[in-house]
Short mmCIF file of all heavy atoms in Angstrom, two decimals:
data_model
loop_
_atom_site.label_atom_id
_atom_site.label_comp_id
_atom_site.label_asym_id
_atom_site.label_seq_id
_atom_site.Cartn_x
_atom_site.Cartn_y
_atom_site.Cartn_z
N PRO A 1161 112.59 93.06 103.84
CA PRO A 1161 112.63 94.52 104.10
C PRO A 1161 113.61 94.90 105.20
O PRO A 1161 114.26 95.94 105.11
CB PRO A 1161 111.18 94.83 104.51
CG PRO A 1161 110.36 93.75 103.91
CD PRO A 1161 111.23 92.52 103.93
N ASP A 1172 123.74 106.19 105.14
CA ASP A 1172 122.96 107.26 105.76
C ASP A 1172 123.63 107.80 107.01
O ASP A 1172 123.31 108.91 107.44
CB ASP A 1172 121.56 106.77 106.12
CG ASP A 1172 120.68 106.59 104.89
OD1 ASP A 1172 121.06 107.02 103.79
OD2 ASP A 1172 119.61 106.01 105.04
N ILE A 1175 125.00 111.35 106.74
CA ILE A 1175 124.10 112.49 106.58
C ILE A 1175 123.97 113.22 107.91
O ILE A 1175 123.71 112.61 108.94
CB ILE A 1175 122.74 112.02 106.04
CG1 ILE A 1175 122.91 111.49 104.62
CG2 ILE A 1175 121.72 113.16 106.08
CD1 ILE A 1175 121.69 110.83 104.06
N LYS A 1179 130.74 119.29 112.98
CA LYS A 1179 131.64 120.37 113.39
C LYS A 1179 133.06 119.80 113.48
O LYS A 1179 133.29 118.79 114.15
CB LYS A 1179 131.23 120.93 114.75
CG LYS A 1179 132.16 122.00 115.26
CD LYS A 1179 131.73 122.47 116.64
CE LYS A 1179 132.71 123.51 117.17
NZ LYS A 1179 132.39 123.90 118.54
N SER A 1190 156.04 118.14 106.61
CA SER A 1190 155.73 119.00 107.75
C SER A 1190 154.29 118.74 108.17
O SER A 1190 153.37 118.81 107.35
CB SER A 1190 155.90 120.47 107.35
OG SER A 1190 155.52 121.31 108.41
N ILE A 1193 148.91 121.32 112.58
CA ILE A 1193 147.63 121.14 113.25
C ILE A 1193 146.85 122.44 113.07
O ILE A 1193 147.35 123.52 113.38
CB ILE A 1193 147.81 120.84 114.76
CG1 ILE A 1193 148.77 119.67 114.98
CG2 ILE A 1193 146.46 120.61 115.43
CD1 ILE A 1193 148.32 118.35 114.43
N ASP A 1195 144.57 125.39 113.88
CA ASP A 1195 144.13 126.06 115.10
C ASP A 1195 142.65 126.38 114.96
O ASP A 1195 142.25 127.22 114.17
CB ASP A 1195 144.93 127.34 115.32
CG ASP A 1195 144.51 128.10 116.56
OD1 ASP A 1195 143.70 127.56 117.36
OD2 ASP A 1195 144.99 129.23 116.75
N SER A 1197 140.75 127.32 117.59
CA SER A 1197 140.33 128.09 118.76
C SER A 1197 139.63 129.40 118.39
O SER A 1197 138.86 129.92 119.18
CB SER A 1197 141.52 128.38 119.68
OG SER A 1197 142.45 129.23 119.03
N LYS A 1222 138.32 135.87 107.17
CA LYS A 1222 138.84 134.60 106.65
C LYS A 1222 137.74 133.59 106.36
O LYS A 1222 137.95 132.40 106.41
CB LYS A 1222 139.85 134.02 107.64
CG LYS A 1222 141.07 134.91 107.81
CD LYS A 1222 142.08 134.32 108.74
CE LYS A 1222 143.26 135.26 108.89
NZ LYS A 1222 144.26 134.74 109.78
N GLY A 1227 131.20 123.53 98.15
CA GLY A 1227 130.24 122.44 98.17
C GLY A 1227 130.17 121.75 96.83
O GLY A 1227 130.82 122.14 95.86
N THR A 1231 129.93 110.87 96.60
CA THR A 1231 129.54 109.46 96.64
C THR A 1231 130.12 108.88 97.92
O THR A 1231 131.18 109.32 98.40
CB THR A 1231 130.06 108.67 95.42
OG1 THR A 1231 131.48 108.72 95.39
CG2 THR A 1231 129.48 109.22 94.12
N GLU A 1239 134.30 113.54 97.16
CA GLU A 1239 133.64 114.82 96.96
C GLU A 1239 134.03 115.37 95.59
O GLU A 1239 135.19 115.31 95.21
CB GLU A 1239 134.10 115.84 98.00
CG GLU A 1239 133.73 115.51 99.41
CD GLU A 1239 134.24 116.52 100.43
OE1 GLU A 1239 135.18 117.29 100.12
OE2 GLU A 1239 133.70 116.52 101.54
N LEU A 1241 134.00 118.95 94.04
CA LEU A 1241 133.87 120.34 94.48
C LEU A 1241 133.33 121.19 93.34
O LEU A 1241 134.08 121.70 92.50
CB LEU A 1241 135.22 120.87 94.97
CG LEU A 1241 135.24 122.22 95.65
CD1 LEU A 1241 134.34 122.23 96.88
CD2 LEU A 1241 136.66 122.59 96.04
N MET A 1249 140.29 124.59 91.46
CA MET A 1249 139.77 123.45 92.22
C MET A 1249 138.34 123.08 91.83
O MET A 1249 137.84 122.04 92.24
CB MET A 1249 139.84 123.76 93.72
CG MET A 1249 141.27 123.89 94.22
SD MET A 1249 141.41 124.32 95.95
CE MET A 1249 140.86 122.83 96.75
N ASP A 1251 135.24 121.56 90.22
CA ASP A 1251 134.93 120.26 89.62
C ASP A 1251 136.00 119.21 89.84
O ASP A 1251 135.99 118.16 89.20
CB ASP A 1251 134.61 120.40 88.12
CG ASP A 1251 133.38 121.26 87.89
OD1 ASP A 1251 132.44 121.18 88.69
OD2 ASP A 1251 133.37 122.03 86.91
N LEU A 1265 133.14 111.44 113.18
CA LEU A 1265 133.50 111.12 111.80
C LEU A 1265 134.96 111.50 111.62
O LEU A 1265 135.37 112.61 111.97
CB LEU A 1265 132.62 111.94 110.84
CG LEU A 1265 132.84 111.75 109.35
CD1 LEU A 1265 131.52 111.99 108.61
CD2 LEU A 1265 133.90 112.67 108.80
N LYS A 1274 147.18 119.73 91.07
CA LYS A 1274 148.41 120.26 90.51
C LYS A 1274 148.27 121.74 90.12
O LYS A 1274 149.15 122.54 90.40
CB LYS A 1274 148.81 119.43 89.28
CG LYS A 1274 150.14 119.80 88.70
CD LYS A 1274 150.53 118.88 87.55
CE LYS A 1274 151.88 119.27 87.00
NZ LYS A 1274 152.28 118.40 85.90
N ASN A 1279 149.26 119.54 97.30
CA ASN A 1279 149.63 118.13 97.39
C ASN A 1279 149.87 117.83 98.87
O ASN A 1279 150.97 118.02 99.37
CB ASN A 1279 150.87 117.81 96.56
CG ASN A 1279 151.13 116.32 96.50
OD1 ASN A 1279 150.23 115.52 96.67
ND2 ASN A 1279 152.37 115.97 96.25
#
Side-chain angles (χ1 to χ4, degrees):
D1172 287 349
I1175 294 172
K1179 178 182 177 185
S1190 176
I1193 307 297
D1195 179 8
S1197 66
K1222 296 182 181 180
T1231 60
E1239 295 178 341
L1241 188 59
M1249 294 177 70
D1251 297 323
L1265 180 150
K1274 186 176 181 180
N1279 188 24

